[in-house]
Amino acid sequence: MPPLPDRPDDAGAAPRSPAQLAALYQELILDHYRRPRNKGALERPVAVGEARNPLCGDEVEVSVALDGDRVTDARFTGRGCSISQASASMMTGLVRGRTRAEVAALRRRVAELLAGDAAAAADPSLGDARALAGVATYPARHRCAAMAWEAVERALRP
Ligand code: ZN
């Protein structure tokens, strides 16, 4: 049986080896760390939540603006390791425009990704946060990746 032809939508998407994927993820995490998106405090936040990770000395504070149940803006301040700050940068981009329930669903999805779930690691709704799949094999760093999500959940707690 001849090999199946490549699907047209696969054109240009070179297959990636695990090593190539790991390098790509590492690069994405460093990019978010060096050029954080949505960094700073909102002038008039509706809610604020923070999380700390004493193991690394990581701190993240998230401020959100809400329109009813929907996040209209999210920003963060903080310091710490590259994973904690990159995850906060990724998270603030993902939660904008989402309802509380949608943010909670995203947080669960990130937890699944960190637990090594392959479907979560490939879920397009996680955007750049899929790069955190590279952290899955380092349990000591899971908290670094998850704390931004803890902080936003605290901010959104009714
Ligand atoms: Zn850390």
Side-chain angles (χ1 to χ4, degrees):
M1 194 166 132
L4 292 169
D6 285 335
R7 287 179 295 138
D9 57 352
D10 281 343
R16 292 195 175 100
S17 71
Q20 284 172 316
L21 201 57
L24 180 77
Y25 284 167
Q26 183 66 23
E27 205 168 300
L28 256 174
I29 288 171
L30 284 177
D31 183 61
H32 275 268
Y33 177 59
R34 292 183 182 131
R35 300 186 304 113
R37 280 59 144 183
N38 314 307
K39 184 139 192 206
L42 284 178
E43 226 168 89
R44 276 185 284 275
V46 171
V48 173
E50 61 172 6
R52 287 165 199 277
N53 177 13
L55 281 178
C56 270
D58 304 327
E59 298 174 8
V60 170
E61 183 173 284
V62 177
S63 57
V64 296
L66 289 157
D67 179 10
D69 190 45
R70 196 171 291 278
V71 174
T72 54
D73 205 357
R75 298 181 69 81
F76 81 99
T77 58
R79 60 201 170 109
C81 74
S82 57
I83 293 168
S84 68
Q85 303 304 302
S87 178
S89 170
M90 293 162 174
M91 180 279 294
T92 48
L94 284 173
V95 301
R96 190 169 293 145
R98 309 275 188 165
T99 64
R100 280 186 167 89
E102 288 167 345
V103 171
L106 282 171
R107 184 188 173 188
R108 283 194 298 274
R109 206 65 176 136
V110 169
E112 288 165 4
L113 172 148
L114 289 172
D117 183 301
D123 188 339
S125 72
L126 290 184
D128 283 358
R130 281 173 295 184
L132 297 172
V135 181
T137 48
Y138 303 97
R141 311 302 298 278
H142 285 188
R143 187 89 211 292
C144 305
M147 59 185 289
W149 292 92
E150 285 173 34
V152 76
E153 189 173 282
R154 281 188 191 134
L156 294 178
R157 202 169 281 165

